Structure formats: structure tokens, C-alpha cells
Amino acid sequence: MKQIVVFMGFILFLFAAVVSFSNAEPDSVEKSQLERLDNSVFKNPHRPGAVFEHDDHNDMAQIDDCAVCHHVYDGKKLLEDESSEDSQCSECHSLKSDDENSVPLLRAYHKRCKDCHFEVNKGPVLCGECHIK
Ligand code: HEC
Ligand code: HEC
Ligand code: HEC
Ligand code: HEC
């Protein structure tokens, strides 16, 4: 009886070892290969760049209007049927709000990304879910 228990224990150990080994590899490879947003405009970024698989994300979230993120304004007025995908967010949203724009870059990103996730109750809202280590 005791031998059977020990043997079963050994089998379980082998099984766990195989599972954890086969999990460890792809996981770490995947994380390092995740597409991340360029955070270099922030001086000394505190966190790893946010994960954002641009095309896959937008397909999955079924966003067909580029201007949901790449918008164009005339003053405070949002212009329909225009988009600014050739510009980076930081070209209009400076680090600190100024006369040209009242929405500083960090708020612009967090508001755009998190507000929608909260609204549709899908997608990450916790720090570590976007700023994956
Ligand atoms: C929905 C995704 C998302 C979530 C959730 C999120 N962030 Fe961000 N965050 C971004 C994006 C996008 C940027 C701008 C690009 C970048 O830095 O990767 C950013 C930038 C930042 C920056 C400026 C760059 C830097 O690293 O210093 C800080 C600080 C930050 N986030 C902190 C936080 C904290 C704290 C939380 C949780 C309270 C949080 N974020 C949650 C997406 C997110
Ligand atoms: C959910 C938000 C979102 C949507 C929707 C979106 N984008 Fe983007 N896109 C971004 C962000 C964020 C960046 C990075 C901008 C930055 O670094 O300042 C980006 C970058 C880009 C870039 C620059 C890529 C590069 O590597 O320099 C292009 C081109 C682009 N998007 C095109 C599009 C087009 C075309 C659509 C519609 C089919 C679209 N985007 C929809 C958020 C979005
Ligand atoms: C061509 C200039 C321009 C670009 C590029 C741009 N924005 Fe904006 N954005 C503006 C202006 C102007 C406003 C209005 C600011 C105000 O009301 O003072 C604004 C407002 C916003 C707001 C607040 C209003 C709202 O829609 O909720 C968010 C969030 C935002 N931008 C996020 C982004 C993100 C994220 C990007 C990059 C994907 C981006 N913006 C690219 C000019 C731009
Ligand atoms: C208009 C709504 C909307 C906006 C804006 C939006 N998201 Fe999302 N996001 C979603 C939805 C919906 C999902 C869940 C998709 C699913 O699982 O079916 C999602 C999922 C995600 C995920 C997890 C899935 C994946 O692709 O890895 C990440 C990370 C993410 N979003 C990051 C961001 C960032 C960063 C931004 C801002 C640049 C952003 N999202 C802007 C709607 C949005």
C-alpha cells in the first residue's frame, strides 16, 4: 500500500513537472513578443509599455472607425469623417496640458483605453493587465 502511494506521488510529480515545463516556455516567449505601445515620450517611464496588439485588438473589439482613437478636432469640436492615424497621440497631447490642448498625454491614453473597457465591460482595467511585466 505504502509503495503504491509513493508511486502515485512520483507519477503526480512527473506530471506536474511536465506541465510546468511545457507552460513555462511559450508563456515567457509570448510576453516578450507582445506588441507594446511606445512609451518613450514619457520621461523615465515608471511601467512597462502597455500591451496593445493594434490590428488584432481592433478586430476583436470590432472597432471599425479609426477616428475612435485617431480623431481630428477643430478647436473643441470633433470633426466627423476625419482621422489622424498619421500622427502620434503625443503630437497633439503634450505631457502637460497647454493652451492648445487641455488633455495631457497620460490622461488621453488612460481615458481612451480604460473608459471604453469600463463602458463595454470587456478588456483590462487594472494597471498590471495593460502594463504587463
Ligand atoms: C487599458 C490599459 C491601461 C490600464 C488599465 C492602465 N494603463 Fe497606464 N497607460 C496605458 C497606456 C496606453 C499608456 C501610454 C503608453 C505607455 O506608457 O505604454 C499608459 C501610460 C502610463 C504611465 C506613463 C508612462 C510611464 O510608464 O511612466 C503611467 C505612470 C501609467 N500608465 C500608470 C498606470 C497605473 C498606475 C495604472 C493603474 C491605476 C494604469 N496605468 C492602468 C494603458 C493603461
Ligand atoms: C483603440 C484605439 C485605436 C484604434 C481604433 C485605431 N488605432 Fe491606430 N493606433 C493607436 C495607438 C494608440 C497608436 C500608437 C500611437 C502613438 O504611438 O502615438 C496607433 C498607431 C497607428 C499607426 C502608426 C503605426 C506606426 O507603427 O507608426 C497607424 C498607421 C494607425 N494606427 C492606423 C490606424 C487605422 C488605419 C485604424 C483604423 C482601421 C486605426 N489605427 C485604429 C490606437 C488605435
Ligand atoms: C491631431 C491632433 C490630435 C491627435 C493626433 C490626437 N488627439 Fe486626442 N484630442 C485632440 C484635441 C484637440 C482634443 C480636444 C481637447 C480639448 O477638449 O481641449 C482631444 C481630446 C482627446 C480626449 C478627450 C476627449 C475624448 O474624446 O474623450 C482623449 C481621451 C484623447 N484626445 C485621446 C487621444 C489618443 C489616445 C490619441 C492617439 C491615439 C489622440 N487623442 C490623438 C487632438 C488630437
Ligand atoms: C471602443 C472601445 C475600446 C477602446 C477605445 C480600447 N479598447 Fe481595448 N478592448 C476593447 C474590447 C471590447 C476588448 C475585449 C475584446 C474581447 O476580448 O473580445 C478589449 C481588450 C483589450 C485588451 C486585452 C486583449 C488583447 O488585445 O490583448 C488589451 C490589452 C486592450 N484592450 C488594451 C487597450 C489599449 C491599450 C487601448 C488604448 C490605446 C484600448 N484597449 C482601447 C475595447 C476597447
Side-chain angles (χ1 to χ4, degrees):
M1 185 61 199
K2 201 174 167 199
Q3 269 172 325
I4 291 176
V5 171
V6 170
F7 182 67
M8 292 300 284
F10 181 64
I11 295 292
L12 273 178
F13 167 78
L14 272 186
F15 184 69
V18 166
V19 166
S20 63
F21 180 75
S22 56
N23 271 344
E25 257 322 282
D27 231 351
S28 54
V29 170
E30 252 174 54
K31 278 188 185 161
S32 66
Q33 286 177 344
L34 286 173
E35 201 182 313
R36 290 173 190 271
L37 286 173
D38 180 8
N39 61 358
S40 58
V41 286
F42 295 97
K43 288 163 200 132
N44 309 314
H46 297 298
R47 294 182 175 258
V51 170
F52 185 59
E53 312 264 334
H54 191 280
D55 295 358
D56 287 348
H57 173 276
N58 297 339
D59 286 348
M60 205 164 49
Q62 296 177 303
I63 310 176
D64 40 23
D65 182 7
C66 308
V68 166
C69 297
H70 301 288
H71 48 211
V72 180
Y73 277 81
D74 179 9
K76 305 253 172 204
K77 193 173 162 285
L78 184 64
L79 299 183
E80 304 281 335
D81 304 322
E82 285 200 45
S83 78
S84 59
E85 67 254 18
D86 297 333
S87 309
Q88 297 201 298
C89 312
S90 56
E91 286 173 40
C92 300
H93 296 277
S94 45
L95 287 177
K96 295 228 163 72
S97 54
D98 53 32
D99 298 343
E100 301 270 300
N101 202 299
S102 60
V103 187
L105 187 60
L106 177 55
R107 182 138 41 92
Y109 270 120
H110 280 168
K111 190 166 172 9
R112 177 55 72 250
C113 309
K114 285 203 266 184
D115 277 14
C116 178
H117 295 166
F118 274 120
E119 233 161 68
V120 299
N121 204 14
K122 275 190 197 157
V125 293
L126 300 176
C127 317
E129 291 176 314
C130 283
H131 299 284
I132 296 175
K133 288 219 168 71

